[in-house]
Amino acid sequence: MRKAPEPNQPLVTHMYTADPSAHVFEGKIYIYPSHDLDHDGPSNDNGDQYAMEDYHVLSMDGFDSPVVEHGEALHLKDIPWASKQLWAPDAAYKNHMYYLFFPARDLEGNFRIGAATSQSPAGPFVPQERYIAGSFSIDPAVLVDDDDQVYMYFGGLWGGQLEKWQTGEFDPAATGPAPEEPALGPRAALLSDDMLSFKDQPQEISIVDETGQPILAGDEERRFFEGPWVHKYNGLYYLSYSTGTTHKLVYATSPYPMGPYTFKGTILTPVIGWTTHHSIVQFGDKWYLFYHDCSLSDGVNHKRCVKYTELHYNEDGTIRTIDPYQ
């Protein structure tokens, strides 16, 4: 008999999973992770070791229930525009339909964001013929707001190519800003009512310090690197993300979904492995952080495992820092 998952332990051990996007659909918790391949190829800063080819959806009736793995939900071979690397996805529900949003390299090798649809939160998902027009980079995260407006946040440096898109066009020679210049922020766009296109051009999200000054590119303890996620708590928007090189999950808050966001602090201290990627979801009257590390593979960066832990807010709305190994 399968056991319920334990906090800070792998949700599943029969496959490598990462980048969990968690949602409550139909009264259950659904987790949309990426699926790491079990290979021993070399690693590089371009992320070639992250060679994922498909998605598998996980679900739980609750945190005292076993994890169900629903099989393959979408495969690279079924996506006409994509060439490789199905990285961190997200999901949303609207129009009586479930949408899976995912990054992949197009036929020219540039990351784009695609959409796929299903009548079930578990899939399988049917991809659109083309990627979302005007999309680029990686790590889509979708917020269906209380007013039914839908925002997609996305972006990632280095292998995620965000610095190549600073002019609105792909420039393979482009580098990021100098350390003393404002850091690049994630991008955000309103989705159209059909959930398959942008209403307008993606905008850069500004992340500032408590005095209103931009977080600088050289401030690697606080600057955005990848993995944006936005949730609401007590009417405030929380933008959380990975710092990349300093291996933390941090967050900033704003009264507005498009920001500017004011940096607040650290959510999760560094985990085993280079990457860190997460989601935050409410289930019942509690809040939970889903994240990954490389403990299942004894530290191999591209063989990760999805975990969860409870998340706590202080009375002033700040989030208590979590050390997953304490």
Side-chain angles (χ1 to χ4, degrees):
M1 183 176 178
R2 292 175 300 176
K3 296 180 179 179
E6 296 181 18
N8 301 309
Q9 297 298 320
L11 290 186
V12 294
T13 58
H14 68 285
M15 61 191 295
Y16 292 116
T17 54
D19 311 318
S21 293
H23 294 273
V24 177
F25 294 138
E26 300 178 1
K28 299 181 181 181
I29 304 158
Y30 282 86
I31 305 106
Y32 300 85
S34 55
H35 175 204
D36 285 342
L37 295 182
D38 187 0
H39 74 86
D40 298 314
S43 298
N44 55 47
D45 288 343
N46 197 45
D48 293 334
Q49 64 272 28
Y50 304 109
M52 299 86 98
E53 295 178 348
D54 63 0
Y55 297 112
H56 290 240
V57 180
L58 309 177
S59 72
M60 301 183 289
D61 290 343
F63 288 91
D64 56 354
S65 303
V67 177
V68 177
E69 191 255 293
H70 294 275
E72 185 179 279
L74 178 64
H75 195 281
L76 177 66
K77 63 179 171 51
D78 298 320
I79 305 168
W81 61 267
S83 62
K84 61 180 180 178
Q85 292 181 301
L86 297 186
W87 284 10
D90 193 21
Y93 177 73
K94 194 180 180 183
N95 307 330
H96 307 289
M97 183 73 70
Y98 292 94
Y99 298 84
L100 183 70
F101 299 99
F102 58 93
R105 289 187 188 267
D106 66 14
L107 302 183
E108 284 73 49
N110 298 334
F111 268 109
R112 305 287 187 170
I113 297 170
T117 59
S118 176
Q119 294 290 334
S120 167
F125 289 86
V126 178
Q128 297 295 298
E129 290 288 320
R130 299 181 182 276
Y131 55 77
I132 296 173
S135 70
F136 54 89
S137 197
I138 61 170
D139 294 350
V142 176
L143 173 70
V144 181
D145 209 349
D146 301 331
D147 60 1
D148 222 29
Q149 295 274 19
V150 184
Y151 300 85
M152 178 183 287
Y153 304 86
F154 61 94
L157 301 179
W158 295 10
Q161 302 178 333
L162 182 60
E163 57 268 68
K164 309 294 187 187
W165 289 93
Q166 294 175 77
T167 64
E169 300 288 336
F170 184 81
D171 178 359
T175 59
E180 67 277 7
E181 295 177 338
L184 294 178
R187 300 305 196 265
L190 270 173
L191 285 173
S192 301
D193 292 339
D194 66 3
M195 298 286 282
L196 302 175
S197 58
F198 292 156
K199 276 188 177 179
D200 46 30
Q201 288 288 107
Q203 300 177 36
E204 184 172 5
I205 297 292
S206 175
I207 304 172
V208 299
D209 64 19
E210 294 286 356
T211 69
Q213 296 301 306
I215 300 296
L216 301 181
D219 185 354
E220 297 185 17
E221 295 289 329
R222 300 190 294 176
R223 66 94 167 86
F224 172 78
F225 187 88
E226 65 185 0
W229 181 268
V230 174
H231 74 280
K232 286 181 78 173
Y233 175 75
N234 284 350
L236 199 61
Y237 295 87
Y238 287 67
L239 166 65
S240 44
Y241 55 91
S242 169
T243 60
T245 51
T246 49
H247 316 297
K248 298 189 297 184
L249 294 176
V250 298
Y251 75 105
T253 62
S254 175
Y256 312 107
M258 298 295 284
Y261 283 82
T262 302
F263 186 89
K264 292 297 181 181
T266 299
I267 296 176
L268 188 73
T269 56
V271 297
I272 297 168
W274 201 96
T275 69
T276 190
H277 193 115
H278 73 297
S279 58
I280 295 170
V281 67
Q282 183 179 18
F283 186 73
D285 59 354
K286 294 183 177 182
W287 287 83
Y288 296 90
L289 173 75
F290 284 79
Y291 67 99
H292 69 232
D293 70 10
C294 300
S295 59
L296 189 61
S297 64
D298 294 323
V300 179
N301 284 330
H302 62 274
K303 297 181 185 180
R304 297 162 291 181
C305 54
V306 167
K307 301 181 174 184
Y308 85 92
T309 191
E310 192 173 344
L311 181 141
H312 299 278
Y313 298 90
N314 298 310
E315 288 189 6
D316 63 358
T318 56
I319 295 174
R320 296 184 204 167
T321 301
I322 297 167
D323 179 344
Y325 305 120
Q326 278 191 340

